[in-house]
Amino acid sequence: MRYLIFGVFLLWSFQARTQPSQQLRDSLNRLSQQDHQLMMQRLGITSLRPGPSGNPEAPNAANADEAKASPYTSLPDPLVFDSGKPVKAAAQWQKRQREIREAFDREVYGRMPDHTPAVTWEVVRTVDTLEGSYPVVRKELRGHVDNSAYPAIEVTLEMTLTTPARATSAVPLMLEFGWNFPANWPRPPVEHPTWQEQLLAQGWGYAILIPTSFQADNGAGLREGIIGLMNQGQPRQLDDWGTLRAWAWGASRALDYFEADRSVDARRVGIEGLSRYGKAALVAMAYEPRFAIGFIGSSGAGGAKILRRQFGEQVENLASSAEYHWFAPNFIKYAGPLTPNDLPVDAHELIALCAPRPVFISVGSPAVEGQWIDARGMFVATVQAAPVYELLGKKGLGTTTFPPQETALTQGDLAFRQHAGGHTVVPNWPTFIPFAARYFGSVAK
Ligand code: GCU
């Protein structure tokens, strides 16, 4: 009951104080729909298959029956060249990696422009403070994007960086894609140690980058932000980058900053995110070789889940006007006339692009989080990425059997764990941190 009351309060306060007005939301939806229509026109598509509902009670509810989940007969093989020849040696991987990247660029996440403008980081404020019982230094940062090519669009990246105050050398760091909750957002009681305190206990730091500060989370915003700046306010080309790729670009610019800040060891920086930011974290990890480790939370469709599986969220949902902006416009065509089976790549190859670096795939309990995320679809993708890791002398999950809840598969360089909670990574931090410590080392206690 207490939770129910809190929930209602949360909803009220969200709507009353933090949500854009209904009018603004309507107008954002309308603009997103218009841009989506324009992309369909350019693709020569007049109709799309609708996606299933995320509401398990709805007549068109997404499939949650494992027996109907795998209509596909095979997945694209990450270790076969486009020519049909097998990849036999580690030395050939780079060439194959380029082919896989090209397919993701063209058909799924879109191409990032070859030259993106410089970002000048400004330390707005530095404070000495406490995080729990840990003395820390917190820097509030703004990344100003050079917009001299098109001054009508201004783009600024917002980030905070928190490092242990007593560190005697540069520290490892986890970079989180952060949700932009306003300061007056009512939060549920947090359990200590928080994930931030757990990182500080290792002698590590953390940073939080706000993705929506430089690219809005809707189609209406595609002519603004970093994507809009590059296109000088014009609509996207069919293989142009989508929002996930743009958010990943921002994470790379954050890394540029860490390379210049002596409190951070930029060779030991990991990326973490949940849900749409879990997708973005995996894309960042796949495209940015300087990220040392990835902690990918409930990323689901468009992230770590096999798109060919008919379980939970589908390509048809991702291609709709509510979510297409995460991808290249070309991706829309896989919801009509093409199908997910026509995709030249699937999620296991996105994970494979991260090889040989460690990746931890996290998900919640279906009983709490629901089935939309498709835990098994992400597990299958992780299993199917393993041959690439093995080719490069690393280890996969060590099993092809889906583990019971709360069983950590962390022996290899690919890791998987389904926690008992909901749509959050929080219960998996205590498992992720020792996994990461194998690579980062523990700096201080
Ligand atoms: C929706 C969407 C998911 C996404 C999630 C989130 O449920 O369908 O793809 O991951 O929102 O970001 O919370």
PDB file of all heavy atoms in Angstrom, residues 227-263:
ATOM      1  N   ILE A 227      22.832  15.834 -34.185  1.00  0.00           N
ATOM      2  CA  ILE A 227      22.411  15.340 -35.507  1.00  0.00           C
ATOM      3  C   ILE A 227      21.930  16.513 -36.367  1.00  0.00           C
ATOM      4  O   ILE A 227      22.323  16.665 -37.525  1.00  0.00           O
ATOM      5  CB  ILE A 227      21.310  14.259 -35.371  1.00  0.00           C
ATOM      6  CG1 ILE A 227      21.857  13.032 -34.630  1.00  0.00           C
ATOM      7  CG2 ILE A 227      20.763  13.865 -36.748  1.00  0.00           C
ATOM      8  CD1 ILE A 227      20.836  11.913 -34.396  1.00  0.00           C
ATOM      9  N   GLY A 228      21.121  17.386 -35.755  1.00  0.00           N
ATOM     10  CA  GLY A 228      20.612  18.558 -36.480  1.00  0.00           C
ATOM     11  C   GLY A 228      21.726  19.513 -36.870  1.00  0.00           C
ATOM     12  O   GLY A 228      21.721  20.067 -37.974  1.00  0.00           O
ATOM     13  N   LEU A 229      22.693  19.689 -35.979  1.00  0.00           N
ATOM     14  CA  LEU A 229      23.824  20.579 -36.272  1.00  0.00           C
ATOM     15  C   LEU A 229      24.581  20.072 -37.503  1.00  0.00           C
ATOM     16  O   LEU A 229      24.906  20.842 -38.406  1.00  0.00           O
ATOM     17  CB  LEU A 229      24.749  20.663 -35.049  1.00  0.00           C
ATOM     18  CG  LEU A 229      26.039  21.463 -35.201  1.00  0.00           C
ATOM     19  CD1 LEU A 229      25.756  22.924 -35.553  1.00  0.00           C
ATOM     20  CD2 LEU A 229      26.878  21.394 -33.918  1.00  0.00           C
ATOM     21  N   MET A 230      24.845  18.760 -37.551  1.00  0.00           N
ATOM     22  CA  MET A 230      25.582  18.193 -38.691  1.00  0.00           C
ATOM     23  C   MET A 230      24.794  18.330 -39.987  1.00  0.00           C
ATOM     24  O   MET A 230      25.365  18.459 -41.058  1.00  0.00           O
ATOM     25  CB  MET A 230      25.913  16.713 -38.451  1.00  0.00           C
ATOM     26  CG  MET A 230      26.853  16.442 -37.291  1.00  0.00           C
ATOM     27  SD  MET A 230      28.357  17.437 -37.285  1.00  0.00           S
ATOM     28  CE  MET A 230      29.150  16.860 -38.775  1.00  0.00           C
ATOM     29  N   ASN A 231      23.459  18.275 -39.890  1.00  0.00           N
ATOM     30  CA  ASN A 231      22.610  18.380 -41.086  1.00  0.00           C
ATOM     31  C   ASN A 231      22.114  19.804 -41.323  1.00  0.00           C
ATOM     32  O   ASN A 231      21.231  20.016 -42.139  1.00  0.00           O
ATOM     33  CB  ASN A 231      21.400  17.447 -40.960  1.00  0.00           C
ATOM     34  CG  ASN A 231      21.783  15.990 -41.137  1.00  0.00           C
ATOM     35  OD1 ASN A 231      22.782  15.693 -41.774  1.00  0.00           O
ATOM     36  ND2 ASN A 231      20.987  15.095 -40.575  1.00  0.00           N
ATOM     37  N   GLN A 232      22.651  20.740 -40.577  1.00  0.00           N
ATOM     38  CA  GLN A 232      22.258  22.146 -40.683  1.00  0.00           C
ATOM     39  C   GLN A 232      20.735  22.312 -40.659  1.00  0.00           C
ATOM     40  O   GLN A 232      20.148  23.012 -41.476  1.00  0.00           O
ATOM     41  CB  GLN A 232      22.869  22.750 -41.951  1.00  0.00           C
ATOM     42  CG  GLN A 232      24.364  22.459 -42.047  1.00  0.00           C
ATOM     43  CD  GLN A 232      25.153  23.547 -42.733  1.00  0.00           C
ATOM     44  OE1 GLN A 232      24.630  24.234 -43.591  1.00  0.00           O
ATOM     45  NE2 GLN A 232      26.402  23.709 -42.340  1.00  0.00           N
ATOM     46  N   GLY A 233      20.124  21.596 -39.738  1.00  0.00           N
ATOM     47  CA  GLY A 233      18.683  21.747 -39.525  1.00  0.00           C
ATOM     48  C   GLY A 233      17.804  21.020 -40.540  1.00  0.00           C
ATOM     49  O   GLY A 233      16.580  21.138 -40.498  1.00  0.00           O
ATOM     50  N   GLN A 234      18.410  20.255 -41.441  1.00  0.00           N
ATOM     51  CA  GLN A 234      17.637  19.536 -42.477  1.00  0.00           C
ATOM     52  C   GLN A 234      17.317  18.112 -42.017  1.00  0.00           C
ATOM     53  O   GLN A 234      17.983  17.570 -41.137  1.00  0.00           O
ATOM     54  CB  GLN A 234      18.453  19.463 -43.775  1.00  0.00           C
ATOM     55  CG  GLN A 234      18.721  20.819 -44.415  1.00  0.00           C
ATOM     56  CD  GLN A 234      17.434  21.574 -44.705  1.00  0.00           C
ATOM     57  OE1 GLN A 234      16.539  21.048 -45.358  1.00  0.00           O
ATOM     58  NE2 GLN A 234      17.332  22.803 -44.172  1.00  0.00           N
ATOM     59  N   PRO A 235      16.310  17.470 -42.651  1.00  0.00           N
ATOM     60  CA  PRO A 235      16.007  16.071 -42.307  1.00  0.00           C
ATOM     61  C   PRO A 235      17.169  15.139 -42.641  1.00  0.00           C
ATOM     62  O   PRO A 235      18.050  15.474 -43.437  1.00  0.00           O
ATOM     63  CB  PRO A 235      14.800  15.731 -43.193  1.00  0.00           C
ATOM     64  CG  PRO A 235      14.367  16.980 -43.854  1.00  0.00           C
ATOM     65  CD  PRO A 235      15.400  18.034 -43.653  1.00  0.00           C
ATOM     66  N   ARG A 236      17.127  13.951 -42.059  1.00  0.00           N
ATOM     67  CA  ARG A 236      18.236  12.999 -42.234  1.00  0.00           C
ATOM     68  C   ARG A 236      18.219  12.304 -43.601  1.00  0.00           C
ATOM     69  O   ARG A 236      17.170  12.094 -44.180  1.00  0.00           O
ATOM     70  CB  ARG A 236      18.157  11.916 -41.147  1.00  0.00           C
ATOM     71  CG  ARG A 236      18.416  12.417 -39.754  1.00  0.00           C
ATOM     72  CD  ARG A 236      18.425  11.276 -38.748  1.00  0.00           C
ATOM     73  NE  ARG A 236      17.165  10.558 -38.686  1.00  0.00           N
ATOM     74  CZ  ARG A 236      17.002   9.367 -38.105  1.00  0.00           C
ATOM     75  NH1 ARG A 236      18.031   8.755 -37.544  1.00  0.00           N
ATOM     76  NH2 ARG A 236      15.824   8.789 -38.072  1.00  0.00           N
ATOM     77  N   GLN A 237      19.400  11.918 -44.067  1.00  0.00           N
ATOM     78  CA  GLN A 237      19.524  10.967 -45.179  1.00  0.00           C
ATOM     79  C   GLN A 237      19.156   9.586 -44.647  1.00  0.00           C
ATOM     80  O   GLN A 237      19.196   9.354 -43.440  1.00  0.00           O
ATOM     81  CB  GLN A 237      20.974  10.925 -45.697  1.00  0.00           C
ATOM     82  CG  GLN A 237      21.535  12.264 -46.130  1.00  0.00           C
ATOM     83  CD  GLN A 237      20.823  12.823 -47.341  1.00  0.00           C
ATOM     84  OE1 GLN A 237      20.572  12.107 -48.305  1.00  0.00           O
ATOM     85  NE2 GLN A 237      20.449  14.096 -47.269  1.00  0.00           N
ATOM     86  N   LEU A 238      18.876   8.654 -45.551  1.00  0.00           N
ATOM     87  CA  LEU A 238      18.366   7.358 -45.110  1.00  0.00           C
ATOM     88  C   LEU A 238      19.368   6.536 -44.293  1.00  0.00           C
ATOM     89  O   LEU A 238      18.972   5.684 -43.508  1.00  0.00           O
ATOM     90  CB  LEU A 238      17.868   6.552 -46.314  1.00  0.00           C
ATOM     91  CG  LEU A 238      16.675   7.198 -47.041  1.00  0.00           C
ATOM     92  CD1 LEU A 238      16.244   6.363 -48.230  1.00  0.00           C
ATOM     93  CD2 LEU A 238      15.504   7.421 -46.083  1.00  0.00           C
ATOM     94  N   ASP A 239      20.656   6.797 -44.495  1.00  0.00           N
ATOM     95  CA  ASP A 239      21.634   6.039 -43.688  1.00  0.00           C
ATOM     96  C   ASP A 239      22.297   6.928 -42.633  1.00  0.00           C
ATOM     97  O   ASP A 239      23.328   6.573 -42.070  1.00  0.00           O
ATOM     98  CB  ASP A 239      22.687   5.363 -44.585  1.00  0.00           C
ATOM     99  CG  ASP A 239      23.464   6.366 -45.414  1.00  0.00           C
ATOM    100  OD1 ASP A 239      23.097   7.569 -45.426  1.00  0.00           O
ATOM    101  OD2 ASP A 239      24.453   5.961 -46.051  1.00  0.00           O
ATOM    102  N   ASP A 240      21.701   8.083 -42.359  1.00  0.00           N
ATOM    103  CA  ASP A 240      22.250   8.968 -41.327  1.00  0.00           C
ATOM    104  C   ASP A 240      22.098   8.350 -39.932  1.00  0.00           C
ATOM    105  O   ASP A 240      21.183   7.564 -39.694  1.00  0.00           O
ATOM    106  CB  ASP A 240      21.488  10.295 -41.318  1.00  0.00           C
ATOM    107  CG  ASP A 240      22.219  11.372 -42.098  1.00  0.00           C
ATOM    108  OD1 ASP A 240      23.302  11.094 -42.627  1.00  0.00           O
ATOM    109  OD2 ASP A 240      21.675  12.496 -42.180  1.00  0.00           O
ATOM    110  N   TRP A 241      22.956   8.789 -39.046  1.00  0.00           N
ATOM    111  CA  TRP A 241      22.925   8.288 -37.675  1.00  0.00           C
ATOM    112  C   TRP A 241      21.619   8.615 -36.968  1.00  0.00           C
ATOM    113  O   TRP A 241      20.979   9.629 -37.231  1.00  0.00           O
ATOM    114  CB  TRP A 241      24.111   8.759 -36.860  1.00  0.00           C
ATOM    115  CG  TRP A 241      24.390  10.241 -36.808  1.00  0.00           C
ATOM    116  CD1 TRP A 241      23.889  11.223 -37.623  1.00  0.00           C
ATOM    117  CD2 TRP A 241      25.276  10.893 -35.890  1.00  0.00           C
ATOM    118  NE1 TRP A 241      24.407  12.439 -37.271  1.00  0.00           N
ATOM    119  CE2 TRP A 241      25.262  12.270 -36.217  1.00  0.00           C
ATOM    120  CE3 TRP A 241      26.068  10.465 -34.839  1.00  0.00           C
ATOM    121  CZ2 TRP A 241      26.032  13.201 -35.513  1.00  0.00           C
ATOM    122  CZ3 TRP A 241      26.825  11.397 -34.155  1.00  0.00           C
ATOM    123  CH2 TRP A 241      26.803  12.741 -34.484  1.00  0.00           C
ATOM    124  N   GLY A 242      21.254   7.717 -36.061  1.00  0.00           N
ATOM    125  CA  GLY A 242      20.112   7.944 -35.188  1.00  0.00           C
ATOM    126  C   GLY A 242      20.602   8.345 -33.803  1.00  0.00           C
ATOM    127  O   GLY A 242      21.810   8.476 -33.536  1.00  0.00           O
ATOM    128  N   THR A 243      19.650   8.505 -32.927  1.00  0.00           N
ATOM    129  CA  THR A 243      19.922   9.033 -31.593  1.00  0.00           C
ATOM    130  C   THR A 243      20.869   8.148 -30.775  1.00  0.00           C
ATOM    131  O   THR A 243      21.709   8.658 -30.036  1.00  0.00           O
ATOM    132  CB  THR A 243      18.566   9.206 -30.878  1.00  0.00           C
ATOM    133  OG1 THR A 243      17.736   9.965 -31.741  1.00  0.00           O
ATOM    134  CG2 THR A 243      18.707   9.931 -29.581  1.00  0.00           C
ATOM    135  N   LEU A 244      20.754   6.822 -30.912  1.00  0.00           N
ATOM    136  CA  LEU A 244      21.645   5.941 -30.123  1.00  0.00           C
ATOM    137  C   LEU A 244      23.099   6.205 -30.484  1.00  0.00           C
ATOM    138  O   LEU A 244      23.978   6.290 -29.621  1.00  0.00           O
ATOM    139  CB  LEU A 244      21.307   4.464 -30.370  1.00  0.00           C
ATOM    140  CG  LEU A 244      19.950   3.985 -29.847  1.00  0.00           C
ATOM    141  CD1 LEU A 244      19.664   2.563 -30.319  1.00  0.00           C
ATOM    142  CD2 LEU A 244      19.908   4.050 -28.315  1.00  0.00           C
ATOM    143  N   ARG A 245      23.332   6.331 -31.784  1.00  0.00           N
ATOM    144  CA  ARG A 245      24.701   6.579 -32.253  1.00  0.00           C
ATOM    145  C   ARG A 245      25.171   7.966 -31.794  1.00  0.00           C
ATOM    146  O   ARG A 245      26.339   8.160 -31.447  1.00  0.00           O
ATOM    147  CB  ARG A 245      24.686   6.459 -33.779  1.00  0.00           C
ATOM    148  CG  ARG A 245      26.019   6.266 -34.441  1.00  0.00           C
ATOM    149  CD  ARG A 245      26.586   4.883 -34.246  1.00  0.00           C
ATOM    150  NE  ARG A 245      28.040   4.917 -34.296  1.00  0.00           N
ATOM    151  CZ  ARG A 245      28.762   4.995 -35.402  1.00  0.00           C
ATOM    152  NH1 ARG A 245      28.176   4.965 -36.579  1.00  0.00           N
ATOM    153  NH2 ARG A 245      30.077   5.055 -35.362  1.00  0.00           N
ATOM    154  N   ALA A 246      24.250   8.919 -31.764  1.00  0.00           N
ATOM    155  CA  ALA A 246      24.599  10.276 -31.331  1.00  0.00           C
ATOM    156  C   ALA A 246      24.928  10.284 -29.833  1.00  0.00           C
ATOM    157  O   ALA A 246      25.881  10.925 -29.391  1.00  0.00           O
ATOM    158  CB  ALA A 246      23.462  11.240 -31.631  1.00  0.00           C
ATOM    159  N   TRP A 247      24.148   9.538 -29.056  1.00  0.00           N
ATOM    160  CA  TRP A 247      24.446   9.446 -27.623  1.00  0.00           C
ATOM    161  C   TRP A 247      25.821   8.800 -27.414  1.00  0.00           C
ATOM    162  O   TRP A 247      26.588   9.217 -26.551  1.00  0.00           O
ATOM    163  CB  TRP A 247      23.344   8.644 -26.907  1.00  0.00           C
ATOM    164  CG  TRP A 247      22.035   9.377 -26.801  1.00  0.00           C
ATOM    165  CD1 TRP A 247      21.837  10.735 -26.882  1.00  0.00           C
ATOM    166  CD2 TRP A 247      20.732   8.803 -26.587  1.00  0.00           C
ATOM    167  NE1 TRP A 247      20.495  11.024 -26.728  1.00  0.00           N
ATOM    168  CE2 TRP A 247      19.790   9.866 -26.547  1.00  0.00           C
ATOM    169  CE3 TRP A 247      20.270   7.499 -26.422  1.00  0.00           C
ATOM    170  CZ2 TRP A 247      18.428   9.656 -26.343  1.00  0.00           C
ATOM    171  CZ3 TRP A 247      18.906   7.289 -26.220  1.00  0.00           C
ATOM    172  CH2 TRP A 247      17.999   8.363 -26.188  1.00  0.00           C
ATOM    173  N   ALA A 248      26.105   7.779 -28.231  1.00  0.00           N
ATOM    174  CA  ALA A 248      27.416   7.119 -28.140  1.00  0.00           C
ATOM    175  C   ALA A 248      28.540   8.091 -28.517  1.00  0.00           C
ATOM    176  O   ALA A 248      29.612   8.084 -27.898  1.00  0.00           O
ATOM    177  CB  ALA A 248      27.445   5.883 -29.044  1.00  0.00           C
ATOM    178  N   TRP A 249      28.298   8.944 -29.497  1.00  0.00           N
ATOM    179  CA  TRP A 249      29.268   9.980 -29.868  1.00  0.00           C
ATOM    180  C   TRP A 249      29.590  10.843 -28.640  1.00  0.00           C
ATOM    181  O   TRP A 249      30.744  11.162 -28.359  1.00  0.00           O
ATOM    182  CB  TRP A 249      28.708  10.837 -31.012  1.00  0.00           C
ATOM    183  CG  TRP A 249      29.438  12.128 -31.216  1.00  0.00           C
ATOM    184  CD1 TRP A 249      30.568  12.318 -31.961  1.00  0.00           C
ATOM    185  CD2 TRP A 249      29.113  13.412 -30.646  1.00  0.00           C
ATOM    186  NE1 TRP A 249      30.961  13.638 -31.889  1.00  0.00           N
ATOM    187  CE2 TRP A 249      30.085  14.325 -31.093  1.00  0.00           C
ATOM    188  CE3 TRP A 249      28.095  13.865 -29.814  1.00  0.00           C
ATOM    189  CZ2 TRP A 249      30.064  15.676 -30.721  1.00  0.00           C
ATOM    190  CZ3 TRP A 249      28.078  15.206 -29.443  1.00  0.00           C
ATOM    191  CH2 TRP A 249      29.050  16.091 -29.898  1.00  0.00           C
ATOM    192  N   GLY A 250      28.555  11.204 -27.899  1.00  0.00           N
ATOM    193  CA  GLY A 250      28.750  12.032 -26.702  1.00  0.00           C
ATOM    194  C   GLY A 250      29.616  11.326 -25.672  1.00  0.00           C
ATOM    195  O   GLY A 250      30.459  11.949 -25.018  1.00  0.00           O
ATOM    196  N   ALA A 251      29.411  10.000 -25.557  1.00  0.00           N
ATOM    197  CA  ALA A 251      30.219   9.232 -24.604  1.00  0.00           C
ATOM    198  C   ALA A 251      31.696   9.259 -25.022  1.00  0.00           C
ATOM    199  O   ALA A 251      32.598   9.325 -24.179  1.00  0.00           O
ATOM    200  CB  ALA A 251      29.703   7.797 -24.518  1.00  0.00           C
ATOM    201  N   SER A 252      31.946   9.237 -26.324  1.00  0.00           N
ATOM    202  CA  SER A 252      33.333   9.334 -26.808  1.00  0.00           C
ATOM    203  C   SER A 252      33.932  10.699 -26.489  1.00  0.00           C
ATOM    204  O   SER A 252      35.111  10.810 -26.147  1.00  0.00           O
ATOM    205  CB  SER A 252      33.400   9.108 -28.324  1.00  0.00           C
ATOM    206  OG  SER A 252      33.061   7.778 -28.628  1.00  0.00           O
ATOM    207  N   ARG A 253      33.109  11.733 -26.586  1.00  0.00           N
ATOM    208  CA  ARG A 253      33.613  13.082 -26.252  1.00  0.00           C
ATOM    209  C   ARG A 253      33.898  13.180 -24.743  1.00  0.00           C
ATOM    210  O   ARG A 253      34.813  13.876 -24.318  1.00  0.00           O
ATOM    211  CB  ARG A 253      32.610  14.163 -26.675  1.00  0.00           C
ATOM    212  CG  ARG A 253      32.244  14.151 -28.164  1.00  0.00           C
ATOM    213  CD  ARG A 253      33.394  14.499 -29.108  1.00  0.00           C
ATOM    214  NE  ARG A 253      34.468  13.521 -29.215  1.00  0.00           N
ATOM    215  CZ  ARG A 253      34.446  12.400 -29.967  1.00  0.00           C
ATOM    216  NH1 ARG A 253      33.368  12.097 -30.660  1.00  0.00           N
ATOM    217  NH2 ARG A 253      35.491  11.601 -30.027  1.00  0.00           N
ATOM    218  N   ALA A 254      33.092  12.467 -23.933  1.00  0.00           N
ATOM    219  CA  ALA A 254      33.363  12.419 -22.496  1.00  0.00           C
ATOM    220  C   ALA A 254      34.725  11.763 -22.262  1.00  0.00           C
ATOM    221  O   ALA A 254      35.529  12.230 -21.452  1.00  0.00           O
ATOM    222  CB  ALA A 254      32.256  11.652 -21.775  1.00  0.00           C
ATOM    223  N   LEU A 255      34.979  10.690 -23.017  1.00  0.00           N
ATOM    224  CA  LEU A 255      36.285  10.011 -22.903  1.00  0.00           C
ATOM    225  C   LEU A 255      37.435  10.957 -23.267  1.00  0.00           C
ATOM    226  O   LEU A 255      38.496  10.924 -22.639  1.00  0.00           O
ATOM    227  CB  LEU A 255      36.316   8.818 -23.852  1.00  0.00           C
ATOM    228  CG  LEU A 255      36.201   7.443 -23.253  1.00  0.00           C
ATOM    229  CD1 LEU A 255      36.219   6.376 -24.335  1.00  0.00           C
ATOM    230  CD2 LEU A 255      37.336   7.177 -22.260  1.00  0.00           C
ATOM    231  N   ASP A 256      37.216  11.784 -24.295  1.00  0.00           N
ATOM    232  CA  ASP A 256      38.246  12.775 -24.661  1.00  0.00           C
ATOM    233  C   ASP A 256      38.566  13.636 -23.440  1.00  0.00           C
ATOM    234  O   ASP A 256      39.725  13.932 -23.161  1.00  0.00           O
ATOM    235  CB  ASP A 256      37.762  13.728 -25.777  1.00  0.00           C
ATOM    236  CG  ASP A 256      37.450  13.010 -27.073  1.00  0.00           C
ATOM    237  OD1 ASP A 256      37.884  11.856 -27.245  1.00  0.00           O
ATOM    238  OD2 ASP A 256      36.749  13.620 -27.926  1.00  0.00           O
ATOM    239  N   TYR A 257      37.501  14.036 -22.724  1.00  0.00           N
ATOM    240  CA  TYR A 257      37.728  14.861 -21.537  1.00  0.00           C
ATOM    241  C   TYR A 257      38.547  14.077 -20.495  1.00  0.00           C
ATOM    242  O   TYR A 257      39.511  14.598 -19.924  1.00  0.00           O
ATOM    243  CB  TYR A 257      36.411  15.361 -20.917  1.00  0.00           C
ATOM    244  CG  TYR A 257      36.687  16.019 -19.588  1.00  0.00           C
ATOM    245  CD1 TYR A 257      37.183  17.320 -19.533  1.00  0.00           C
ATOM    246  CD2 TYR A 257      36.562  15.297 -18.393  1.00  0.00           C
ATOM    247  CE1 TYR A 257      37.539  17.893 -18.316  1.00  0.00           C
ATOM    248  CE2 TYR A 257      36.919  15.864 -17.176  1.00  0.00           C
ATOM    249  CZ  TYR A 257      37.407  17.158 -17.144  1.00  0.00           C
ATOM    250  OH  TYR A 257      37.788  17.715 -15.946  1.00  0.00           O
ATOM    251  N   PHE A 258      38.163  12.814 -20.261  1.00  0.00           N
ATOM    252  CA  PHE A 258      38.867  12.015 -19.242  1.00  0.00           C
ATOM    253  C   PHE A 258      40.359  11.889 -19.586  1.00  0.00           C
ATOM    254  O   PHE A 258      41.211  11.866 -18.711  1.00  0.00           O
ATOM    255  CB  PHE A 258      38.245  10.622 -19.094  1.00  0.00           C
ATOM    256  CG  PHE A 258      36.791  10.644 -18.702  1.00  0.00           C
ATOM    257  CD1 PHE A 258      35.913   9.707 -19.219  1.00  0.00           C
ATOM    258  CD2 PHE A 258      36.308  11.603 -17.824  1.00  0.00           C
ATOM    259  CE1 PHE A 258      34.552   9.723 -18.870  1.00  0.00           C
ATOM    260  CE2 PHE A 258      34.957  11.631 -17.467  1.00  0.00           C
ATOM    261  CZ  PHE A 258      34.087  10.699 -17.994  1.00  0.00           C
ATOM    262  N   GLU A 259      40.644  11.798 -20.888  1.00  0.00           N
ATOM    263  CA  GLU A 259      42.051  11.687 -21.296  1.00  0.00           C
ATOM    264  C   GLU A 259      42.844  12.921 -20.883  1.00  0.00           C
ATOM    265  O   GLU A 259      44.052  12.851 -20.692  1.00  0.00           O
ATOM    266  CB  GLU A 259      42.156  11.473 -22.811  1.00  0.00           C
ATOM    267  CG  GLU A 259      41.758  10.049 -23.204  1.00  0.00           C
ATOM    268  CD  GLU A 259      41.882   9.750 -24.699  1.00  0.00           C
ATOM    269  OE1 GLU A 259      41.916  10.706 -25.499  1.00  0.00           O
ATOM    270  OE2 GLU A 259      41.918   8.550 -25.040  1.00  0.00           O
ATOM    271  N   ALA A 260      42.129  14.044 -20.753  1.00  0.00           N
ATOM    272  CA  ALA A 260      42.817  15.290 -20.414  1.00  0.00           C
ATOM    273  C   ALA A 260      42.757  15.610 -18.916  1.00  0.00           C
ATOM    274  O   ALA A 260      43.378  16.562 -18.458  1.00  0.00           O
ATOM    275  CB  ALA A 260      42.202  16.442 -21.207  1.00  0.00           C
ATOM    276  N   ASP A 261      41.998  14.819 -18.146  1.00  0.00           N
ATOM    277  CA  ASP A 261      41.861  15.080 -16.705  1.00  0.00           C
ATOM    278  C   ASP A 261      42.739  14.095 -15.935  1.00  0.00           C
ATOM    279  O   ASP A 261      42.524  12.883 -16.003  1.00  0.00           O
ATOM    280  CB  ASP A 261      40.386  14.932 -16.293  1.00  0.00           C
ATOM    281  CG  ASP A 261      40.154  15.347 -14.845  1.00  0.00           C
ATOM    282  OD1 ASP A 261      40.991  15.002 -13.965  1.00  0.00           O
ATOM    283  OD2 ASP A 261      39.124  16.000 -14.581  1.00  0.00           O
ATOM    284  N   ARG A 262      43.693  14.620 -15.194  1.00  0.00           N
ATOM    285  CA  ARG A 262      44.689  13.748 -14.566  1.00  0.00           C
ATOM    286  C   ARG A 262      44.133  12.901 -13.431  1.00  0.00           C
ATOM    287  O   ARG A 262      44.794  11.975 -12.963  1.00  0.00           O
ATOM    288  CB  ARG A 262      45.890  14.579 -14.108  1.00  0.00           C
ATOM    289  CG  ARG A 262      46.654  15.103 -15.329  1.00  0.00           C
ATOM    290  CD  ARG A 262      47.746  16.051 -14.944  1.00  0.00           C
ATOM    291  NE  ARG A 262      48.678  15.441 -13.997  1.00  0.00           N
ATOM    292  CZ  ARG A 262      49.596  16.133 -13.336  1.00  0.00           C
ATOM    293  NH1 ARG A 262      49.681  17.434 -13.510  1.00  0.00           N
ATOM    294  NH2 ARG A 262      50.415  15.518 -12.504  1.00  0.00           N
ATOM    295  N   SER A 263      42.914  13.209 -12.969  1.00  0.00           N
ATOM    296  CA  SER A 263      42.365  12.381 -11.888  1.00  0.00           C
ATOM    297  C   SER A 263      41.808  11.047 -12.420  1.00  0.00           C
ATOM    298  O   SER A 263      41.516  10.144 -11.655  1.00  0.00           O
ATOM    299  CB  SER A 263      41.290  13.149 -11.107  1.00  0.00           C
ATOM    300  OG  SER A 263      40.229  13.509 -11.957  1.00  0.00           O
TER     301      SER A 263
END
